Structure formats: structure tokens, C-alpha cells
Amino acid sequence: MSVVIPIYNAEKFVSRAIKSIQNQNLTNLEIILINDFSTDNTLSLLEQLKNEDPKIKIINNTKNMGILYSKSIGVLSANGKYIFPLDNDDMLLDKDVLSVITDISIEGNFDIVEFKGIEIKDGTSLLNHQIINTKFLNHTLNLVLFQPELSNFPLRAGNTIKEYHHESIYLWCKCIKTNIYKKALNSLGKEKYSRYMLANEDIIATIILFTTATSYKFVGKYGILHIKRPRSAYFLTDSFSLSVNELYLLDVAIDFMNKTDKH
């Protein structure tokens, strides 16, 4: 398994994400960290973690390239049979997530395996139980204890949760066969995935992956805690930048689908 994490100015929380991977009982893995020209103390922190763990590999962008490019070059450098994309502030819920997903992927020879994800929005209230699917309520007390040595973040007052338990456009709840992911990126072309894109890049990735893949499996296991930060480093706030980003997104999607139709 190759875990791919694009990182930008994440010194306050990236260690927790990485440690949730290091705590997995699946040991046959590599952790690929793409430092997207961070301006804080992120790189020093990553180098320290790398010195402590030979499974860690660091790729440094020579300028800020955005999340689509950073994630793509991480995937293209991967050596594992499967790719697990992780955001720099997310955490795996249990220590057996990667081993369970890997076993299912190998047994069924699936191109894409998706599992249940939990999203927490930083700054709102967990105590109000504003939940998309009420079935999740019964699991709340168990899930917040996911890896207690890492963090009790979900218990902090001021967090809402919602549950993803079906096919989604998000990459952070998927395990993807590496040769499928690389084939999809090569079909898309470097000119397209090099576009400076800060938001919604998962839509592009989902389009190219589900167009390229031939098999898919959904697993009813809670796998990941996704933390949505309103002022994330990759979160666009001004309407002009957001509009440009959406135009890039549309252009890349149309171009890829046109190429696919011709083949």
C-alpha cells in the first residue's frame, strides 16, 4: 500500500495524520509526503519524521502547485500495488483499516474499494448531533475513541459530524489500484493535472478513475475521519478564484471525456 499525502502549511496537524498511518497493523506500506512549497515549519517536521521512519518518502515541489498536481505526482511515484490518498489533516479511525481494505482488494481483485467516512466540520457542534444519517448515532461513542493515543479531537465541543456511506466523489474514502490510478493520470495528461487547482480536484480524479476502472466494491466499514476546516490552506474564499477554479475543473473534465470517447 502506498499512502499519498499532499501537504501545505500543515505543521499544526500533519503529524497526527501520519501517525494514524504508522499505527496501522499493515506494515508493508510506504508513506509518500508531497510538500507543496510550505512556508511554515512543515518541511522540518516532515524531515524529522522521515529520519525516524524509513517507510516515509518526501517529494518537495519547487513552487506551490496546488493539490491536484501534488497528489498526482505522489501517485506516479508510488511503488505499492494500491494507493490510499489521505488529506494532511485527516486520520484513520481504526488500526486495521488498511489491512482490511487491502485484503478485500486482493481477494476480489477490485480496482476501487470504498468505505464509510466520517466528516467533522471544525468550529460547529458535535453535541447537537447534526447528522446526515441517524444510523450513525448508535456508533458515535465507539468511533470517537478511534485511536485515543493520537487525539480526542472528535470529543471537543464545537464539532458537527456527517456520514458518507455510499459511492461519493471523494478520494479520502477510497483505495485504488495503483496501475489504474497511473493509467488514468497518464490518460488525463500532465498539462491537465499540472493545472493550479485548490478545490474540488476530487471531482476530476473521480471522473478519470471511474472511467478507467472496471471493478468497484463498497465496504460497510468506517475507515476515515475527514476534518473539514473552513480556513484550510487549500480552501478558496474569494469568488473570483473559486470561479477560475471551477472553469479549470470543467475544462479538464470535458477534455478528458472527449479523449475517452474517441478511444
Side-chain angles (χ1 to χ4, degrees):
M1 177 74 72
S2 296
V3 182
V4 176
I5 311 177
I7 302 166
Y8 177 71
N9 286 357
E11 62 177 341
K12 294 181 180 179
F13 38 77
V14 70
S15 293
R16 188 172 54 194
I18 295 170
K19 287 178 181 177
S20 79
I21 298 295
Q22 293 172 317
N23 283 355
Q24 292 292 297
N25 55 25
L26 178 69
T27 57
N28 187 16
L29 55 83
E30 65 176 352
I31 305 172
I32 303 175
L33 311 176
I34 307 92
N35 173 40
D36 193 17
F37 205 66
S38 296
T39 57
D40 62 359
N41 197 42
T42 293
L43 180 56
S44 297
L45 179 60
L46 299 185
E47 289 175 340
Q48 178 181 340
L49 291 171
K50 182 180 184 300
N51 290 335
E52 299 169 355
D53 189 347
K55 295 190 295 293
I56 290 178
K57 172 183 177 181
I58 300 175
I59 298 174
N60 285 304
N61 290 345
T62 55
K63 63 178 180 178
N64 186 250
M65 295 293 294
I67 193 167
L68 178 63
Y69 175 82
S70 298
K71 192 174 292 183
S72 298
I73 62 168
V75 168
L76 292 172
S77 70
N79 298 304
K81 186 175 181 179
Y82 297 96
I83 298 289
F84 180 76
L86 185 72
D87 288 351
N88 61 197
D89 55 355
D90 291 351
M91 290 172 280
L92 294 182
L93 285 167
D94 300 309
K95 296 185 179 184
D96 68 342
V97 172
L98 294 186
S99 59
V100 170
I101 299 306
T102 301
D103 289 345
I104 292 171
S105 301
I106 293 173
E107 181 180 354
N109 194 28
F110 296 111
D111 291 341
I112 299 174
V113 173
E114 184 166 356
F115 48 89
K116 292 184 179 183
I118 308 302
E119 179 180 277
I120 290 184
K121 186 175 182 182
D122 193 12
T124 52
S125 180
L126 173 65
L127 303 178
N128 292 335
H129 295 299
Q130 298 173 13
I131 305 169
I132 297 297
N133 188 322
T134 55
K135 292 179 181 178
F136 175 68
L137 188 59
N138 296 327
H139 303 279
T140 303
L141 294 180
N142 292 328
L143 285 174
V144 295
L145 299 176
F146 62 110
Q147 291 194 44
E149 68 273 23
L150 293 183
S151 173
N152 64 348
F153 180 86
L155 290 173
R156 192 177 73 189
N159 292 290
T160 12
I161 53 180
K162 56 182 176 179
E163 175 184 18
Y164 293 94
H165 61 104
H166 54 79
E167 301 84 350
S168 71
I169 64 168
Y170 303 108
L171 285 184
W172 45 260
C173 49
K174 292 179 176 60
C175 169
I176 305 123
K177 195 177 288 185
T178 302
N179 65 339
I180 293 298
Y181 207 142
K182 289 183 177 182
K183 181 180 179 182
L185 286 173
N186 288 331
S187 298
L188 181 64
K190 185 174 183 179
E191 177 188 352
K192 296 299 180 183
Y193 68 70
S194 293
R195 286 282 184 94
Y196 189 78
M197 195 172 294
L198 295 181
N200 297 326
E201 86 292 340
D202 277 6
I203 297 176
I204 291 296
T206 301
I207 289 172
I208 66 175
L209 286 169
F210 276 89
T211 303
T212 307
T214 59
S215 58
Y216 168 90
K217 174 73 173 179
F218 179 79
V219 179
K221 175 178 177 59
Y222 291 98
I224 192 166
L225 177 71
H226 176 69
I227 302 172
K228 186 173 182 180
R229 302 177 186 276
R231 297 189 181 275
S232 155
Y234 281 123
F235 192 83
L236 297 178
T237 54
D238 68 282
S239 57
F240 177 77
S241 296
L242 184 59
S243 298
V244 171
N245 192 87
E246 295 302 318
L247 288 173
Y248 281 176
L249 186 75
L250 183 61
D251 176 62
V252 172
I254 291 174
D255 179 72
F256 178 78
M257 297 308 293
N258 284 339
K259 287 195 298 186
T260 303
D261 288 342
K262 291 176 183 178
H263 293 302

